[in-house]
């Protein structure tokens, strides 16, 4: 390893250096690099309305809260409308470097996600492509995502023990069959871990979102951090529960409690601490969203 490669690997906490394209996928991505979030923006394409699981903290009239601010409903776009939105945004806001699909439901459960990615790959090959998923369909879709140019992948992983997972998920709808209880949690977990391992194998830049749910998984988040370290995930994003649906009566963690958990897990694996819980149609720099400009269109 040259000294420059060593420096770069060291900054990003790897034993082996990232290649230059991977470095760009970190350094120009506002979620994966805290430095990038001041300079670069992302745009979400809200093309995926349906979801295949039920998280006990999600009211499905709104956006997927695994990566969104609860209570927000994004306008769903067709793939063609989404591409037109990209054309407009990169002219209006050239600092937008990342195209993400994060809902409003589960991206991998909506064929429109793949149609959109194909159109994006043809017309905007240089943009960084990002996705956030619950992971249920990841093992069967990850190679296709990689082919279509998705470089940055997030999976929401709230538990690595199905006995805890069964408290978080009401059901999983997998290949036309509805599963509940421990069985549902087992299927989901197995697929999340398998899919993430393949992402790492393919050289994708990976992130795990973990919702901190007091009394349900707060004592277990450290095990999640250990597991993601073991499989080589780049970043963990611990998010505070916003109580609704079946978890409406749970007292959410305070900012200080969330911070303490991030500090604790930070000793095991790299932490994201600047997440803004975006809408599924967010556009702009994190915390400086500009999507209203397009809402009348
Ligand atoms: Fe979007 Fe998510 Fe990609 Fe970022 S958001 S799909 S990784 S481009 Fe970022 Fe927003 Fe937090 Fe998500 S601040 S909610 S972590
Ligand atoms: Fe809601 Fe997202 Fe969970 Fe689906 S994966 S139930 S949209 S939070």
């Amino acid at each position: 390893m040259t000294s420059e490669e060593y420096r770069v690997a060291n900054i990003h906490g790897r034993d082996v250096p990232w290649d230059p394209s991977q470095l760009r996928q970190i350094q120009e991505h506002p979620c994966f690099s805290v430095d990038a979030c001041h300079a670069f923006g992302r745009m979400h394409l809200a093309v995926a309305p349906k979801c295949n699981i039920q998280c006990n903290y999600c009211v499905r009239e709104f956006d997927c809260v695994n990566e969104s601010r609860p209570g927000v409903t994004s306008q769903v776009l067709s793939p063609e409308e989404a591409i037109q939105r990209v054309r407009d945004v990169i002219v209006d806001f050239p600092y937008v470097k990342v195209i993400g699909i994060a809902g409003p439901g589960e991206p991998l459960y909506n064929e429109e996600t793949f149609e959109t990615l194909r159109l994006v790959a043809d017309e905007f090959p240089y943009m960084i492509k990002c996705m956030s998923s619950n992971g249920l369909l990841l093992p069967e879709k990850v190679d296709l995502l990689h082919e279509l140019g998705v470089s940055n992948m997030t999976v929401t992983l709230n538990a690595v023990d199905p006995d805890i997972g069964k408290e978080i998920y009401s059901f999983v709808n997998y290949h036309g069959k509805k599963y509940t209880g421990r069985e549902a949690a087992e299927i989901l977990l197995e697929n999340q871990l398998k899919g993430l391992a393949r992402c790492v194998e393919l050289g994708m830049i990976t992130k795990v979102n973990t919702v901190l749910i007091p009394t349900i998984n707060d004592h277990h988040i450290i095990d999640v951090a250990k597991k993601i370290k073991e499989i080589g995930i780049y970043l963990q994003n611990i998010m505070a529960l916003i109580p609704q649906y079946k978890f409406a009566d749970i007292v959410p963690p305070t900012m200080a409690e969330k911070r303490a958990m991030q500090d604790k897990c930070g000793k095991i694996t790299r932490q994201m601490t600047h997440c803004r819980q975006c809408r599924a149609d967010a556009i702009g720099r994190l915390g400086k969203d500009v999507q209203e400009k397009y809402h009348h269109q």
Side-chain angles (χ1 to χ4, degrees), residues 108 113-114 117 131 133 138 141-151 153 199 204:
L108 303 184
T113 296
F114 301 96
L117 285 173
M131 173 149 316
S133 164
L138 193 54
K141 298 292 188 191
V142 60
D143 283 68
L144 176 59
L145 293 178
H146 182 63
E147 256 171 57
L148 293 172
V150 174
S151 56
M153 187 75 212
C199 288
M204 293 164 107

Short mmCIF file of all heavy atoms in Angstrom, two decimals, residues 108 113-114 117 131 133 138 141-151 153 199 204:
data_model
loop_
_atom_site.label_atom_id
_atom_site.label_comp_id
_atom_site.label_asym_id
_atom_site.label_seq_id
_atom_site.Cartn_x
_atom_site.Cartn_y
_atom_site.Cartn_z
N LEU A 108 -37.73 -1.89 -2.92
CA LEU A 108 -37.53 -3.15 -3.65
C LEU A 108 -38.84 -3.89 -3.93
O LEU A 108 -38.85 -4.87 -4.68
CB LEU A 108 -36.56 -4.07 -2.87
CG LEU A 108 -35.19 -3.47 -2.57
CD1 LEU A 108 -34.30 -4.50 -1.88
CD2 LEU A 108 -34.53 -2.95 -3.83
N THR A 113 -39.34 1.25 -9.03
CA THR A 113 -37.98 1.54 -8.57
C THR A 113 -36.97 1.14 -9.63
O THR A 113 -36.04 1.89 -9.95
CB THR A 113 -37.69 0.76 -7.26
OG1 THR A 113 -38.57 1.25 -6.26
CG2 THR A 113 -36.24 0.90 -6.81
N PHE A 114 -37.16 -0.04 -10.19
CA PHE A 114 -36.18 -0.57 -11.14
C PHE A 114 -36.30 0.15 -12.49
O PHE A 114 -35.29 0.43 -13.13
CB PHE A 114 -36.35 -2.10 -11.27
CG PHE A 114 -36.18 -2.76 -9.93
CD1 PHE A 114 -37.28 -3.08 -9.14
CD2 PHE A 114 -34.91 -2.98 -9.42
CE1 PHE A 114 -37.12 -3.64 -7.88
CE2 PHE A 114 -34.74 -3.53 -8.16
CZ PHE A 114 -35.85 -3.86 -7.38
N LEU A 117 -34.51 3.37 -11.96
CA LEU A 117 -33.05 3.20 -11.94
C LEU A 117 -32.50 2.99 -13.34
O LEU A 117 -31.42 3.48 -13.66
CB LEU A 117 -32.67 2.02 -11.04
CG LEU A 117 -32.77 2.26 -9.54
CD1 LEU A 117 -32.53 0.96 -8.78
CD2 LEU A 117 -31.77 3.32 -9.07
N MET A 131 -29.90 3.88 -2.13
CA MET A 131 -31.19 3.27 -1.84
C MET A 131 -31.30 2.91 -0.38
O MET A 131 -30.32 2.54 0.26
CB MET A 131 -31.33 2.01 -2.68
CG MET A 131 -32.55 1.22 -2.32
SD MET A 131 -33.21 0.35 -3.70
CE MET A 131 -33.16 1.54 -4.98
N SER A 133 -33.72 0.45 2.21
CA SER A 133 -34.65 -0.68 2.11
C SER A 133 -34.85 -1.34 3.46
O SER A 133 -33.99 -1.23 4.34
CB SER A 133 -34.04 -1.69 1.12
OG SER A 133 -34.66 -2.95 1.20
N LEU A 138 -33.77 -7.98 -0.45
CA LEU A 138 -32.41 -7.62 -0.87
C LEU A 138 -31.62 -8.78 -1.49
O LEU A 138 -31.00 -8.60 -2.54
CB LEU A 138 -31.66 -6.99 0.30
CG LEU A 138 -30.35 -6.29 -0.04
CD1 LEU A 138 -30.53 -5.24 -1.13
CD2 LEU A 138 -29.74 -5.66 1.21
N LYS A 141 -32.49 -9.09 -5.09
CA LYS A 141 -32.41 -7.88 -5.92
C LYS A 141 -31.05 -7.22 -5.93
O LYS A 141 -30.81 -6.32 -6.74
CB LYS A 141 -33.44 -6.84 -5.42
CG LYS A 141 -34.89 -7.28 -5.51
CD LYS A 141 -35.37 -7.41 -6.93
CE LYS A 141 -36.87 -7.66 -6.99
NZ LYS A 141 -37.33 -8.04 -8.32
N VAL A 142 -30.17 -7.62 -5.01
CA VAL A 142 -28.94 -6.85 -4.83
C VAL A 142 -28.05 -6.86 -6.07
O VAL A 142 -27.47 -5.82 -6.43
CB VAL A 142 -28.17 -7.33 -3.56
CG1 VAL A 142 -27.79 -8.78 -3.62
CG2 VAL A 142 -26.96 -6.47 -3.28
N ASP A 143 -27.98 -7.98 -6.78
CA ASP A 143 -27.12 -8.00 -7.97
C ASP A 143 -27.67 -7.08 -9.06
O ASP A 143 -26.92 -6.39 -9.75
CB ASP A 143 -26.94 -9.44 -8.48
CG ASP A 143 -25.94 -10.19 -7.60
OD1 ASP A 143 -26.27 -10.47 -6.42
OD2 ASP A 143 -24.82 -10.46 -8.07
N LEU A 144 -29.00 -7.06 -9.18
CA LEU A 144 -29.62 -6.17 -10.15
C LEU A 144 -29.36 -4.70 -9.77
O LEU A 144 -29.03 -3.87 -10.62
CB LEU A 144 -31.13 -6.45 -10.22
CG LEU A 144 -31.96 -5.54 -11.11
CD1 LEU A 144 -31.48 -5.59 -12.56
CD2 LEU A 144 -33.46 -5.93 -11.05
N LEU A 145 -29.48 -4.39 -8.50
CA LEU A 145 -29.21 -3.02 -8.05
C LEU A 145 -27.78 -2.62 -8.41
O LEU A 145 -27.53 -1.52 -8.90
CB LEU A 145 -29.39 -2.90 -6.53
CG LEU A 145 -30.81 -3.06 -5.98
CD1 LEU A 145 -30.79 -2.95 -4.47
CD2 LEU A 145 -31.75 -2.03 -6.59
N HIS A 146 -26.87 -3.53 -8.17
CA HIS A 146 -25.45 -3.27 -8.46
C HIS A 146 -25.27 -3.02 -9.97
O HIS A 146 -24.62 -2.06 -10.37
CB HIS A 146 -24.64 -4.48 -8.00
CG HIS A 146 -23.17 -4.33 -8.21
ND1 HIS A 146 -22.42 -3.37 -7.59
CD2 HIS A 146 -22.30 -5.05 -8.96
CE1 HIS A 146 -21.15 -3.49 -7.95
NE2 HIS A 146 -21.05 -4.49 -8.78
N GLU A 147 -25.91 -3.87 -10.78
CA GLU A 147 -25.84 -3.70 -12.24
C GLU A 147 -26.40 -2.36 -12.67
O GLU A 147 -25.91 -1.74 -13.60
CB GLU A 147 -26.75 -4.76 -12.90
CG GLU A 147 -26.06 -5.92 -13.52
CD GLU A 147 -27.10 -6.97 -13.92
OE1 GLU A 147 -28.02 -6.63 -14.70
OE2 GLU A 147 -27.01 -8.10 -13.42
N LEU A 148 -27.44 -1.91 -12.00
CA LEU A 148 -28.07 -0.65 -12.37
C LEU A 148 -27.34 0.56 -11.78
O LEU A 148 -27.79 1.69 -11.89
CB LEU A 148 -29.55 -0.65 -11.92
CG LEU A 148 -30.44 -1.65 -12.66
CD1 LEU A 148 -31.83 -1.72 -12.04
CD2 LEU A 148 -30.56 -1.25 -14.14
N GLY A 149 -26.24 0.30 -11.10
CA GLY A 149 -25.38 1.40 -10.67
C GLY A 149 -25.63 1.91 -9.26
O GLY A 149 -25.09 2.94 -8.87
N VAL A 150 -26.44 1.18 -8.47
CA VAL A 150 -26.63 1.61 -7.08
C VAL A 150 -25.33 1.31 -6.32
O VAL A 150 -24.89 0.17 -6.25
CB VAL A 150 -27.82 0.89 -6.41
CG1 VAL A 150 -27.92 1.24 -4.93
CG2 VAL A 150 -29.12 1.26 -7.13
N SER A 151 -24.75 2.36 -5.76
CA SER A 151 -23.44 2.18 -5.09
C SER A 151 -23.56 2.27 -3.58
O SER A 151 -22.71 1.75 -2.87
CB SER A 151 -22.47 3.26 -5.57
OG SER A 151 -23.03 4.55 -5.34
N MET A 153 -25.95 1.65 -0.24
CA MET A 153 -27.12 0.88 0.16
C MET A 153 -27.34 0.97 1.67
O MET A 153 -26.42 0.73 2.45
CB MET A 153 -26.89 -0.58 -0.25
CG MET A 153 -28.07 -1.48 -0.04
SD MET A 153 -29.34 -1.19 -1.30
CE MET A 153 -30.80 -1.55 -0.33
N CYS A 199 -23.97 -7.10 -0.46
CA CYS A 199 -23.63 -5.69 -0.77
C CYS A 199 -22.15 -5.45 -0.50
O CYS A 199 -21.46 -4.84 -1.31
CB CYS A 199 -24.42 -4.72 0.10
SG CYS A 199 -26.16 -4.60 -0.29
N MET A 204 -20.27 -2.38 -2.46
CA MET A 204 -21.17 -1.24 -2.24
C MET A 204 -20.82 -0.57 -0.91
O MET A 204 -20.28 -1.21 -0.01
CB MET A 204 -22.63 -1.71 -2.23
CG MET A 204 -23.09 -2.22 -3.59
SD MET A 204 -24.61 -3.19 -3.46
CE MET A 204 -25.79 -2.05 -4.14
#
